[in-house]
């Protein structure tokens, strides 16, 4: 991937699928669809809640959270009040659950947030919170199925455990053959340039902490097992 693709400012590396509706890296599509077929055989309707996301969409999420227009959560998914947080704490609270624009794995098209559409009770709004994927949650079966099968299709969970950065996200799968080289190619200086040229809210606070953000929230992931 080139610099524009790595940082979510191009769509030249992704394709749009209609069944299920999602946008993924062209090298991911076949494996994802095979995994979806296998899941369907076991009664699971594997659907992408979120797939490719570009820089501007990620920045819109960031800016709304920074402004307190979109809820912030602590590590235990408990809501936080933006007005009570200093800027330093706000950066942390956003990054526990949302990536820095330019540094989101969703820019690559290799990473997908998955749900089992067949397991969603009528009238229930999916939240993508760890409780839904826990042993008593609505996606417990999906989670177990992914544990047992995702590796065969080339996927892994980069946010499986808490490594001090991004909170565990059992719904977030990554296609190793695309995402491992992508992470190696995306340098700190590349990220700095993109952030510097953007209209991200809290830019001075972000730039001042960028090496830490890069190490803690982008590099510190769980690799394929
Ligand atoms: Zn995700």
């Amino acid at each position: 991937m080139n610099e524009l693709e790595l940082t979510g400012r191009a769509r030249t590396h992704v394709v749009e699928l209609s069944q299920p509706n999602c946008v993924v890296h062209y090298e991911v599509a076949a494996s994802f669809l095979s995994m979806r077929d296998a899941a369907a055989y076991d009664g699971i309707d594997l659907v992408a809640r979120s797939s490719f996301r570009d820089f501007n969409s990620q920045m819109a999420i960031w800016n709304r959270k920074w402004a307190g227009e979109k809820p912030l959560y602590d590590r235990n998914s408990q809501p936080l009040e933006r007005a009570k947080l200093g800027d330093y704490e706000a950066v942390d609270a956003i990054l526990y659950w949302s990536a820095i624009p330019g540094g989101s794995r969703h820019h690559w098209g290799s990473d997908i947030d998955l749900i089992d559409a067949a397991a969603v009770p009528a009238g229930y709004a999916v939240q993508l919170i760890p409780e839904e994927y826990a042993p008593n949650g609505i996606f417990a079966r999906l989670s177990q199925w992914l544990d047992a099968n995702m590796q065969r299709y080339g996927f892994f969970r980069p946010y499986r455990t808490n490594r001090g950065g991004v909170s565990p996200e059992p719904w977030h799968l990554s296609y190793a053959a695309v995402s491992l080289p992508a992470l190696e190619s995306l340098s700190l200086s590349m990220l700095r340039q993109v952030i510097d040229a953007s209209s991200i809210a809290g830019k001075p606070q972000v730039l001042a902490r960028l090496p830490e953000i890069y190490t803690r929230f982008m590099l510190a992931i769980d690799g394929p097992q």
Side-chain angles (χ1 to χ4, degrees), residues 50-51 53 104 106 111-113 128 159 169 171-173:
S50 187
S51 49
R53 207 179 296 138
S104 171
H106 285 283
D111 288 45
I112 315 176
D113 297 335
L128 288 190
Y159 307 131
E169 295 189 354
W171 51 85
H172 185 117
L173 261 62

Side-chain angles (χ1 to χ4, degrees), residues 99-220:
I100 189 87
S104 171
R105 301 177 65 92
H106 285 283
H107 294 333
W108 308 336
S110 55
D111 288 45
I112 315 176
D113 297 335
L114 288 173
I115 64 164
D116 172 7
V120 181
Y124 178 83
V126 175
Q127 295 167 272
L128 288 190
I129 51 173
E131 289 68 30
E132 292 172 332
Y133 294 76
N136 294 322
I138 57 168
F139 298 136
R141 203 166 152 259
L142 166 67
S143 195
Q144 287 156 12
W145 192 92
L146 292 172
D147 283 339
N149 296 285
M150 65 181 170
Q151 209 176 350
R152 276 195 290 140
Y153 299 92
F155 290 90
F156 70 103
R157 283 193 178 100
Y159 307 131
R160 192 168 47 82
T161 62
N162 181 356
R163 292 179 165 257
V166 179
S167 293
E169 295 189 354
W171 51 85
H172 185 117
L173 261 62
S174 183
Y175 189 71
V178 171
S179 66
L180 295 180
L183 185 57
E184 287 225 347
S185 307
L186 212 172
S187 66
L188 175 57
S189 64
M190 209 183 277
L191 184 66
R192 184 180 294 280
Q193 275 178 18
V194 177
I195 298 276
D196 205 20
S198 77
S199 47
I200 186 174
K203 194 194 284 187
Q205 289 86 345
V206 169
L207 285 174
R209 291 180 61 186
L210 206 58
E212 178 217 336
I213 291 172
Y214 179 72
T215 306
R216 195 173 148 210
F217 292 94
M218 290 177 61
L219 298 186

Side-chain angles (χ1 to χ4, degrees), residues 24-98:
V24 294
H25 190 281
Y26 63 89
E27 284 178 39
V28 176
S31 292
F32 175 52
L33 292 175
S34 297
M35 183 165 74
R36 174 175 156 79
D37 283 348
Y41 189 79
D42 290 331
I44 290 168
D45 185 8
L46 208 55
V47 165
R49 182 59 190 253
S50 187
S51 49
F52 168 76
R53 207 179 296 138
D54 69 11
F55 181 92
N56 285 333
S57 315
Q58 195 66 31
M59 190 168 67
I61 295 171
W62 177 282
N63 287 355
R64 288 187 62 211
K65 286 195 169 182
W66 179 269
E69 295 161 11
K70 194 173 160 69
L72 289 170
Y73 298 97
D74 68 11
R75 282 223 182 269
N76 302 312
S77 318
Q78 297 306 306
L80 292 169
E81 232 178 288
R82 174 65 180 94
K84 289 188 181 160
L85 301 177
D87 288 345
Y88 190 95
E89 290 76 33
V91 168
D92 273 349
I94 300 173
L95 289 172
Y96 288 154
W97 298 105
S98 298

